[in-house]
Amino acid sequence: MNLLFKLVTLSAIFSYINGAIFEASVTDLQLLVDEKENITIIVKNVATSGTLNLTRSAKNIVELTPNQIPIPKSSNGSYPVLVEAVGAGHVIINGQFDGDDKVLLRVTVLKNIGLDVFSVVIGWIYFIAWSVSFYPQIYTNYKRKSVIGLNFDFLYLNIVGFTLYGVFNLGLYFSEDIKEEYFDRHPGGLNPVQVNDIVFAVHAAIVCAFTITQTFIYERAEQRVSTTARLILGFFAAVIIISVILSACKVLEWLDFLYICSYVKLTITLIKYVPQAYMNYQRKSTVGWSIGNILLDFTGGMLSMLQMIVNAYNYDDWVSIFSDLTKFGLGLFSVAFDILFIVQHYVLYTHSRFIAIEGSDIPDP
């Protein structure tokens, strides 16, 4: 098999079952549909005879030949196993021996390697577009030496949302316990969080914090965070605190806590643009609100949704979209509001390029 289609770790997984050691020659395997690969199960220090049963966490993805291996007493040997990919998806191969069960092999099956590369490229393009999208607003604030026209409710909702999104991504990507909980619920699925998701979320939270510092430096007139936004943020804080307590008390699993964080983020995405859109409507102007931010955000949102659809098709894993509503919803609702802002800027308020503040006109860069 081509090395491009196979990921082999430097060290194998060792499973200790009643003193015996079971080692898979390949611990992570990536195949195309209808492709076959021979692996070897190495057995050491078996005290009693028995049968090693190879089980799959999901059916209709791979076939194993044989799926049962007789193991004689005091055996040290190697046993070949043919892995045949019959359908796209993700599956874990376990070895069961004498009542115990250990992970031996993880297999990922995809339909097209080109689509996999295309997905990676899309992921990094939308990561760049979304990451860069924060900077036009920062530049606009710096150039004007003013944050008038930039809604503060939006800023504070944004930083809370991205902080929680970062918690969700970091937990689901790095915590082995949480990943185990996820795959228990979705045995044939793939982890929906990728490295670029983590980098984006952490970077977004940091840049949002920097933008908020600009509101304390530059001219702001009478603008402040509204009472409504304060009450909403307080409610979200209570939800998160209660969720942490319930998870620590094992009433909820930590995966459920992460989902709650992601749902709060999704809710913030639904509402965070409303104050800014309404402010633009009241002022009949988009001056102070960077259109560069919107255009880049629109690009990132479209590509984010496209990547999830490509991955869902390539791995036959549509459940990943519905199990990660935050990522898909983030793209969908961002695009919807971006279209509204584009209409406001280029159609409704195109005549307004300057806003009068204390008798002087401040241009929008």
Side-chain angles (χ1 to χ4, degrees), residues 106-120:
R106 299 176 179 89
V107 183
T108 301
V109 182
L110 61 156
K111 296 177 180 179
N112 188 294
I113 192 66
L115 286 178
D116 197 50
V117 174
F118 180 58
S119 172
V120 173

Side-chain angles (χ1 to χ4, degrees), residues 50-359:
T51 300
L52 176 65
N53 295 303
L54 303 179
T55 63
R56 300 160 296 171
S57 59
K59 298 180 179 179
N60 304 322
I61 296 177
V62 298
E63 296 291 344
L64 304 174
T65 307
N67 56 22
Q68 293 184 327
I69 304 174
I71 307 295
K73 183 179 179 179
S74 303
S75 173
N76 289 302
S78 300
Y79 300 88
V81 175
L82 177 65
V83 181
E84 180 180 2
V86 296
H90 174 84
V91 62
I92 297 175
I93 309 301
N94 286 354
Q96 294 180 340
F97 186 81
D98 198 16
D100 210 341
D101 192 348
K102 299 294 182 180
V103 174
L104 293 177
L105 173 66
R106 299 176 179 89
V107 183
T108 301
V109 182
L110 61 156
K111 296 177 180 179
N112 188 294
I113 192 66
L115 286 178
D116 197 50
V117 174
F118 180 58
S119 172
V120 173
V121 173
I122 290 175
W124 284 108
I125 292 177
Y126 94 67
F127 158 72
I128 293 172
W130 263 350
S131 297
V132 174
S133 72
F134 295 95
Y135 292 96
Q137 185 65 61
I138 291 175
Y139 177 73
T140 295
N141 298 340
Y142 166 76
K143 191 71 174 180
R144 299 173 70 238
K145 299 297 187 290
S146 170
V147 292
I148 296 177
L150 174 61
N151 190 275
F152 289 9
D153 291 0
F154 166 78
L155 290 179
Y156 282 85
L157 287 168
N158 218 21
I159 191 171
V160 171
F162 281 121
T163 299
L164 294 177
Y165 189 45
V167 170
F168 173 85
N169 287 331
L170 289 167
L172 194 50
Y173 191 85
F174 288 109
S175 172
E176 294 299 327
D177 291 338
I178 294 176
K179 283 192 287 186
E180 184 177 349
E181 292 173 7
Y182 178 83
F183 288 122
D184 283 343
R185 299 187 191 185
H186 310 288
L190 295 170
N191 192 329
V193 177
Q194 300 182 23
V195 174
N196 50 316
D197 296 315
I198 296 172
V199 176
F200 166 72
V202 173
H203 171 265
I206 294 173
V207 178
C208 285
F210 181 82
T211 307
I212 288 175
T213 63
Q214 290 185 310
T215 66
F216 294 97
I217 298 172
Y218 300 134
E219 184 178 7
R220 58 189 286 173
E222 300 299 321
Q223 291 184 176
R224 64 182 182 85
V225 180
S226 70
T227 300
T228 301
R230 293 173 188 269
L231 291 173
I232 291 173
L233 291 172
F235 172 75
F236 289 152
V239 170
I240 295 302
I241 292 172
I242 293 172
S243 300
V244 169
I245 294 173
L246 292 177
S247 298
C249 296
K250 301 188 183 302
V251 175
L252 296 175
E253 291 186 336
W254 284 107
L255 178 62
D256 296 313
F257 165 71
L258 293 187
Y259 277 143
I260 290 171
C261 289
S262 72
Y263 296 149
V264 172
K265 164 57 183 169
L266 181 57
T267 304
I268 288 176
T269 301
L270 281 168
I271 66 177
K272 72 178 183 180
Y273 292 110
V274 174
Q276 184 65 59
Y278 184 66
M279 175 184 279
N280 294 345
Y281 166 74
Q282 284 185 311
R283 297 167 64 238
K284 298 298 186 290
S285 172
T286 57
V287 173
W289 174 244
S290 174
I291 192 62
N293 171 9
I294 299 306
L295 296 176
L296 287 167
D297 190 64
F298 177 80
T299 301
M302 292 294 291
L303 292 178
S304 172
M305 291 186 293
L306 177 60
Q307 184 196 49
M308 292 197 74
I309 292 171
V310 168
N311 285 345
Y313 168 78
N314 202 26
Y315 294 94
D316 197 18
D317 185 29
W318 297 98
V319 70
S320 64
I321 292 180
F322 301 105
S323 65
D324 189 8
L325 285 175
T326 302
K327 185 177 178 180
F328 192 78
L330 179 64
L332 181 63
F333 292 114
S334 293
V335 165
F337 273 103
D338 288 339
I339 292 173
L340 172 61
F341 287 122
I342 289 171
V343 171
Q344 284 185 325
H345 185 82
Y346 289 109
V347 179
L348 298 179
Y349 313 132
T350 185
H351 63 282
S352 179
R353 290 292 179 265
F354 295 87
I355 181 171
I357 300 177
E358 297 180 355

Side-chain angles (χ1 to χ4, degrees), residues 22-35:
F22 291 80
E23 173 188 348
S25 59
V26 177
T27 59
D28 288 276
L29 186 63
Q30 187 173 8
L31 300 171
L32 291 171
V33 174
D34 296 329
E35 192 172 15

